Amino acid sequence: MSKFVINGGKILSGEVNISGAKNSALKLIAASILADKKITLSNVPIIEDVNTMVKVLRILGAKVSLDEKNGKILIDPSSIDSFEAPYELVRKMRASILVAGPLLSKFGSVKVAIPGGCNIGSRQIDLHLKGFEFMGTKNSLEHGYVHAKATAKKLKGAVIDLDFPSRGATENIMMAACLAKGKTVINNAAREPEIADLSNFLVSMGADIQGAGTDCIIINGVKKLSGTNYKIMPDSIEAGTFITAAALCGKEVKVNGAVSKNLDLFLLKLKEIGINIDIIDNNTIIIKENGAFNPVHISTLPYPGFPTDLQPIIAVLLSIISGVSIITENVFENRFMYVDELNRMGANIKIDGHHAIITGVGKLSGAPVSACDLRAGAAMVLAGLAAEGITEVLGIHHIQRGYENFDKKLSLLGADIKKE
Ligand code: UD1
């Protein structure tokens, strides 16, 4: 099992280029099912989750070629002849269920494994299924799979009020509505920039969508969608990770591909902490050496709130800032699994329900730790960069699911990190 070995305390400086967004790439690959001609995606991050989504499409019968060197994918969905997302892939990556909306929209039938829980808590798909039902499917559950089938030849447009602005449900319903008959309205929709990226992609294929990026999305079904070439937006969570690494141990770090408007609240919190942030333009942020830091209170919320994916990352920074910081996790029930690992490095964090009470300790000390999920794994690496001595991060397959060349990018900035 490979691990990262980090010799902490090195100063980071220079430039880093942010890759394409994982949470957009996966959806765009799934949405390609809707086209009747070839799709080319560029700025594709070469990460394990993308490989898994490519496998899902191939199992459905699509022809997919991934050009790793140039970060491009060519997808020909015209040969799709299976409508089943198998458990072995859904289990590995729950975003596999995002093929359900496009398959239903185009073929009126899908069988998808129920994802079950994961390392950050219970993750239901009831809102996805309720949305499909409103659009005219009959859903049945058998042997760990949901089979959704359109009762008419095509799905029909509907008004869907989401109980919670789930990203996955918003995306699945938006894709399902593209080839449905009539108008679909999604109220209380998720507003993440990746939803707008998915909408822009679908519109470039000929879809009729308004309002993506707001809490009300209107989709008028069209007869067919054609091929397109599309460049995936930059990954704001990767950007936030490198910005935090720079805040922890940087001299001057330029982050290319950090879109400040997508990181509003995160940057606001960093400024409150006292991080020296220079927004150069809408795509570039420079983090400069810092003075005194202040503890802060943070609550995670759906966008435009503080992103839950950056919660474990910022916890590392707060763990060394003198004073008491509090993090409240409102999106996932079990997203403090990393705390015990961080405490093994000398942090002082106590969990009380969905609150983490962090008493800053000034310095962390290197230790062997485990990456318990993707973002927690990245947080452990950041802790290792800032700690005294050697940190070994085990379970790095979690990190490789979502960060392209994480160790190489950090090495280029001056970190002492090796994969063994
Ligand atoms: C996406 C992101 C993930 C991020 C999360 C929240 C991808 C591939 N993943 O996950 O990185 O952490 O958004 O920003 O884009 N829920 C239900 N019923 C449902 C759907 C969701 O109860 O049918 C609940 C979930 O259990 C969770 C919350 O809603 O507590 C948020 O889930 P959701 O926004 O759907 O997250 P994902 O799309 O799975």
Side-chain angles (χ1 to χ4, degrees), residues 149-257:
K149 210 168 165 26
T151 47
K153 207 168 158 216
K154 271 179 165 282
L155 294 183
K156 59 176 188 339
V159 176
I160 296 160
D161 301 307
L162 292 176
D163 294 347
F164 179 89
S166 152
R167 282 165 87 158
T170 302
E171 291 158 342
N172 238 340
I173 295 166
M174 188 163 94
M175 292 188 280
C178 282
L179 298 174
K181 204 165 167 232
K183 177 173 163 180
T184 299
V185 180
I186 311 174
N187 289 317
N188 197 23
R191 290 183 279 169
E192 272 77 6
E194 288 83 359
I195 309 265
D197 208 35
L198 174 59
S199 166
N200 291 339
F201 171 66
L202 291 165
V203 167
S204 79
M205 289 157 73
D208 179 353
I209 306 175
Q210 283 134 42
T214 74
D215 62 358
C216 177
I217 305 178
I218 300 169
I219 307 114
N220 287 300
V222 295
K223 288 221 161 59
K224 62 180 190 132
L225 295 177
S226 61
T228 187
N229 292 327
Y230 193 84
K231 186 176 176 198
I232 295 165
M233 64 179 280
D235 195 313
S236 48
I237 304 302
E238 188 198 10
T241 305
F242 277 96
I243 289 170
T244 310
L248 270 165
C249 31
K251 189 155 196 243
E252 183 163 323
V253 176
K254 188 173 173 199
V255 186
N256 300 316

Side-chain angles (χ1 to χ4, degrees), residues 7 9-14 385 407-417:
N7 185 8
K10 301 284 181 278
I11 305 283
L12 304 185
S13 67
L385 296 176
D407 50 331
K408 291 199 184 86
K409 288 186 184 183
L410 286 167
S411 291
L412 278 174
L413 290 175
D416 183 348
I417 174 168

Side-chain angles (χ1 to χ4, degrees), residues 23 27 94 122-127 166-168 309 331:
N23 288 350
K27 325 303 167 64
R94 80 186 292 291
S122 147
R123 292 175 81 175
Q124 315 237 347
I125 56 165
D126 55 319
L127 301 174
S166 152
R167 282 165 87 158
D309 284 352
V331 181

Side-chain angles (χ1 to χ4, degrees), residues 71-87:
K72 286 198 168 175
I73 291 193
L74 181 71
I75 301 169
D76 179 357
S78 61
S79 47
I80 289 177
D81 56 1
S82 160
F83 314 127
E84 179 175 327
Y87 182 57

Side-chain angles (χ1 to χ4, degrees), residues 347-363:
N348 179 357
I349 307 178
K350 289 194 172 56
I351 302 300
D352 181 5
H354 64 133
H355 308 287
I357 297 122
I358 307 175
T359 307
V361 291
K363 198 110 201 110

